Amino acid sequence: MRKNIVAGNWKMNNDLAQTKSLLADLKKQTKTSNAEVMVAPTFTNLYHAFEALRTTDIEVIAQNMHFAENGAYTGEISAAMLKSIGVQTVILGHSERREYFNETDELLAKKVDTALANNMRIIFCFGEELADRKSGNEETIVGSQIKKALFHLGAAAFQNIVLAYEPVWAIGTGETASPEQAQDMHAFIRKTLADKYGNDVADEVSILYGGSVKPANAEEIFSKPDVDGGLIGGAALKADDFYAIVNAF
Ligand code: PGA
């Protein structure tokens, strides 16, 4: 059975004091759903967050990492550094990384390989822009993003990969894909996986939706059969809102 997952991507928000306060608020929450819960603080607060949440069932994950094992890459963070503080999971391919930091499918394929070689789990993000959706090209774009970054992998790799469909036009805009739009795309993604790796692999991969998920819309989105959870940005910055989403399953 594939897992339900709700992951909070805090992006470049929260200094240490704010992080401590949000972590304390998260520890007061009660989970009534079966979803796995993850939070991704910024790098400077990862170690603190890992220690603070050690006794909880909330997993602390990273927002990004470099493809090289180590070396002269000023400002970058390696898989081994993440693992050395207990972080086992990394978000790769977020649209903000693609857009503002020129991360291409080819670069992301290298990051994917490095994460897997270090036995890390990946939340791999992709999604079309508004112009692609308007021109009816969303499936072509999404299919190509998945194939270019992931289809060199063997089937076993997908035990450590979670997919996150995040239409760029819905991220931080207040505009959400309708539950039907999300379901249609998630079904397409699962079929794309099934065509290459077979139904057994495709059925086991969790596919998250991301883009303006809020307490008010989470339940309807999560009720769709191919939506296995969410990657949450803005609403993950308030513990009450985040747990309302976690408990929407
Ligand atoms: P949002 O961000 O929930 O603020 O739209 C989602 C994301 O970027 O993962």
Side-chain angles (χ1 to χ4, degrees):
M1 263 297 280
R2 57 183 183 255
K3 293 172 177 143
N4 291 327
I5 298 171
V6 177
N9 175 10
W10 297 358
K11 308 191 181 183
M12 197 174 73
N13 295 297
N14 291 337
D15 64 14
L16 181 58
Q18 291 163 325
T19 297
K20 285 182 176 171
S21 151
L22 179 50
L23 292 169
D25 288 348
L26 285 172
K27 285 169 95 168
K28 290 183 206 142
Q29 301 293 319
T30 307
K31 189 171 83 168
T32 57
S33 76
N34 66 357
E36 267 187 42
V37 182
M38 305 175 183
V39 294
T42 193
F43 285 123
T44 53
N45 296 322
L46 267 183
Y47 182 62
H48 177 80
F50 183 82
E51 290 297 322
L53 296 181
R54 198 185 259 288
T55 54
T56 72
D57 61 0
I58 305 174
E59 184 182 350
V60 175
I61 71 173
Q63 297 178 17
N64 182 33
M65 56 165 243
H66 197 265
F67 64 80
E69 294 292 347
N70 54 49
Y73 295 97
T74 301
E76 292 292 331
I77 308 281
S78 72
M81 291 169 187
L82 295 174
K83 290 202 72 178
S84 73
I85 59 164
V87 172
Q88 300 283 353
T89 302
V90 61
I91 300 171
L92 294 177
H94 192 279
S95 65
E96 289 150 17
R97 299 294 318 170
R98 292 175 188 262
E99 184 178 352
Y100 306 134
F101 303 96
N102 300 320
E103 294 200 2
T104 61
D105 296 321
E106 293 70 28
L107 176 89
L108 291 168
K110 291 208 252 179
K111 291 192 177 199
V112 164
D113 289 345
T114 304
L116 293 174
N118 283 276
N119 295 316
M120 293 186 75
R121 183 154 66 149
I122 299 165
I123 299 184
F124 186 77
C125 308
F126 50 84
E128 83 284 1
E129 296 186 21
L130 185 58
D132 305 320
R133 168 107 5 210
K134 281 194 170 151
S135 59
N137 282 331
E138 63 272 17
E139 290 190 351
T140 312
I141 297 292
V142 163
S144 143
Q145 288 171 324
I146 294 173
K147 285 174 192 160
K148 285 186 179 157
L150 302 178
F151 272 19
H152 61 288
L153 300 170
F158 284 84
Q159 290 168 9
N160 288 315
I161 295 177
V162 171
L163 299 179
Y165 168 59
E166 301 205 298
V168 178
W169 47 272
I171 296 180
T173 57
E175 184 154 351
T176 324
S178 69
E180 292 70 30
Q181 283 173 319
Q183 168 56 28
D184 286 352
M185 184 58 88
H186 284 223
F188 167 77
I189 294 162
R190 208 176 296 287
K191 180 170 183 310
T192 303
L193 283 181
D195 288 347
K196 167 92 174 162
Y197 295 102
N199 284 328
D200 288 353
V201 172
D203 285 344
E204 287 298 310
V205 175
S206 298
I207 308 177
L208 315 184
Y209 169 79
S212 299
V213 178
K214 305 272 181 272
N217 59 24
E219 192 172 338
E220 206 187 345
I221 295 172
F222 294 169
S223 72
K224 295 296 175 188
D226 286 296
V227 179
D228 307 310
L231 183 55
I232 318 300
L237 297 173
K238 287 205 182 113
D240 289 354
D241 285 353
F242 185 56
Y243 265 75
I245 295 170
V246 169
N247 291 332
F249 277 102

